[in-house]
Amino acid sequence: MAEKKSEGSSSDHASIEKSSAQRIEVADVYDFGGDTTLPPPPKLTPEQEKKLWRKIDMRLMPILTLMYLFSFLDRGNIGNAKLQGLTTQLNLTGNKYNIALTMYFVPYCLFECPANLVLKKFRPSRWLPGITITWGIIMTLMGLVKNYPQLVGTRVVLGVTEAGLFPGVVYYLTLWYPRHMLQFRVGIFYGGATVAGAFSGLLAFAISFMSGTDGMLGWSWIFVCISIATVAVGILAFFVLVDFPSTATFLTPEERAFVVWRKKYDNSSVGEEEHFAIRHVWQAFSDWQVWLHILIYMSIIGPLYGISLFLPSIINGFGFNTAISQLLTVPPYVFATIVLIVFAIWSDRIQKRSPFILAGLIMCLIGFAINISEAPIGVKYFGTFFCVSGSYAAFPGIVAWLGNNLAGQYKRGVGMALHIGIGNFAGAIASNIYRTQDAPRYIIGHGVELMFVGIGFITLPLAVVIYTRINAKRDAYEKEMEEKGIKYTTQELRKLGDRAPDFRYIL
């Protein structure tokens, strides 16, 4: 019988007993995350459950956040390096600088989906630290380049090596946390990017004093110093990161059983499909919501990359010198970090994603509208706070929203990789819209960012309307099933995944 899934607290003992019985009923034919090798899930009080999740948070979130902080530092500090002599020494005339930025995104987008497919095969505790060390080495080489072709080549390889981190970590988090707890964790993880934005300005200012050491200008030392720290973080991750709940030795067997049970019945009353089949790839490619969410993603990621790559140049265009411009990039990112965490906590608490994405779009609209105008410099700098905080704070909700609404681990892995991979082509566009000849007002750049925001104002309400209608139809169909005695087998419900009659989309 298809039963409507409970979305309440896991501490509900009756729900645990019911789902445990279902687990035992199908255990001989269905193993999820190694649950058949674990003891039955324990009954936890709300306080005990909170303590367990805090224990998991303290093991996973610091190292993942640190890895992404350095990932974003490494890809984005080229904006700071530009002000420290990069374009002059490498003779980046015309649009060469923009092309170098663009060439990062092409392999970054293309390799995200394959990287997610191999994540479980190669084990997260080896794959994620391994690619971190690799791109750290690439960044060291970037600090030693002597000409434009070498810069483009290292940016391409950087895109390949960094492609597996963000979609891989988000997918990895969906293997651990229930869907109504996801955005806060994605927010903490992605907070590394906003902190990186603040750090990049401070670090660039400090490292600029090394200019001339060993015959290298400040831009070279920006790349080299940060890349050495990246390699150190990757090595540390080898010793800290763990693979999956069922094999996590820092948890007791009973705690592992509880986490696996929570994930098994998080998206479905009969458990979620876990084993790979080629149909999971097709299901992800043919799912309407993946493609609609790509447009929503682009509406935020375009402004996000545009502001993160060019904020130093935009502020420099206000008339400040290089050192002051680097320092003035810090406050908008500090403010964005605060807004991001508030949005993430609030979103998980009310179990909704779309209102906070809409709020981010509105902030971006205000910020870019101010900067495209002829407002005074002080007002324009104030507008950058809206640009940065709106794009960064909305981003975790966009990623968590699709992850919440895809059921089946491999379908979710492929769908999220497509979502992030194709959506990141908006970053390639954003790399080319802030042209040197358009300084200081950057009308074309800010105008294109407003276009991205406009796409969001169309696609976001459309997704909410479609989700609402589907949920209403499934409510009616479940009532009809009960009246007519229609039944699905557990295997059929698992195979249907997010198309099952008991699955409800999060708004």
Side-chain angles (χ1 to χ4, degrees), residues 198 326-337 381 385 388:
Q326 303 282 24
L327 292 175
L328 286 177
T329 62
V330 177
Y333 284 105
V334 174
F335 179 68
T337 303
Y381 179 64
F385 281 72
V388 177

Side-chain angles (χ1 to χ4, degrees), residues 19-222:
S19 294
S20 297
Q22 290 172 323
R23 179 179 64 83
I24 294 169
E25 175 188 341
V26 298
D28 58 326
V29 294
Y30 177 52
D31 176 273
F32 178 88
D35 65 343
T36 56
T37 65
L38 297 170
K43 300 176 182 179
L44 300 182
T45 65
E47 185 55 40
Q48 288 173 325
E49 186 178 348
K50 287 181 181 179
K51 185 177 180 181
L52 172 59
W53 293 119
R54 282 197 299 268
K55 183 178 180 180
I56 295 171
D57 288 340
M58 292 305 296
R59 183 57 182 263
L60 301 184
M61 299 313 303
I63 188 63
L64 293 174
T65 303
L66 195 60
M67 292 165 70
Y68 196 61
L69 186 153
F70 279 95
S71 170
F72 220 84
L73 273 177
D74 287 332
R75 80 181 67 170
N77 59 20
I78 192 171
N80 301 103
K82 180 185 179 185
L83 299 185
Q84 294 292 341
L86 173 71
T87 54
T88 303
Q89 188 171 22
L90 299 188
N91 193 31
L92 302 184
T93 57
N95 62 350
K96 288 182 179 180
Y97 174 77
N98 299 91
I99 292 174
L101 296 182
T102 305
M103 294 309 296
Y104 166 86
F105 287 99
V106 176
Y108 184 80
C109 297
L110 294 177
F111 280 86
E112 284 188 316
C113 189
N116 255 21
L117 286 175
V118 303
L119 175 71
K120 291 186 73 175
K121 179 70 174 177
F122 288 99
R123 299 172 49 195
S125 66
R126 297 292 176 265
W127 174 255
L128 297 175
I131 61 176
T132 302
I133 292 173
T134 304
W135 91 62
I137 295 171
I138 298 302
M139 281 303 301
T140 304
L141 298 176
M142 191 180 298
L144 305 177
V145 299
K146 302 299 182 184
N147 52 52
Y148 170 64
Q150 291 176 0
L151 176 66
V152 171
T154 52
R155 289 292 292 183
V156 168
V157 180
L158 181 67
V160 173
T161 52
E162 282 199 354
L165 185 71
F166 183 76
V169 170
V170 175
Y171 175 45
Y172 174 67
L173 292 176
T174 68
L175 304 179
W176 280 85
Y177 294 99
R179 60 180 183 161
H180 291 136
M181 297 171 62
L182 186 61
Q183 182 167 339
F184 176 65
R185 275 74 190 182
V186 174
I188 292 293
F189 165 67
Y190 197 73
T194 55
V195 173
F199 271 146
S200 63
L202 289 173
L203 289 172
F205 175 74
I207 295 172
S208 66
F209 293 102
M210 296 180 64
S211 184
T213 304
D214 289 338
M216 296 194 300
L217 294 183
W219 68 268
S220 292
W221 285 113
I222 288 175

Side-chain angles (χ1 to χ4, degrees), residues 374-395:
E374 295 183 348
I377 290 173
V379 177
K380 288 193 173 188
Y381 179 64
F382 176 70
T384 64
F385 281 72
F386 285 92
C387 298
V388 177
S389 58
S391 56
Y392 275 81
F395 185 80

Side-chain angles (χ1 to χ4, degrees), residues 30 32-33 116-117 120 171 174-176 244-245 260 263-264 267 272-276 280 406-416 494:
Y30 177 52
F32 178 88
N116 255 21
L117 286 175
K120 291 186 73 175
Y171 175 45
T174 68
L175 304 179
W176 280 85
F244 309 109
V260 172
K263 277 306 304 171
K264 183 173 184 177
N267 287 340
E272 188 178 37
E273 278 203 324
E274 181 191 32
H275 301 293
F276 177 76
H280 297 144
L406 292 175
Q409 289 194 5
Y410 276 98
K411 179 185 178 182
R412 184 163 57 247
V414 174
M416 294 182 75
R494 281 198 298 272

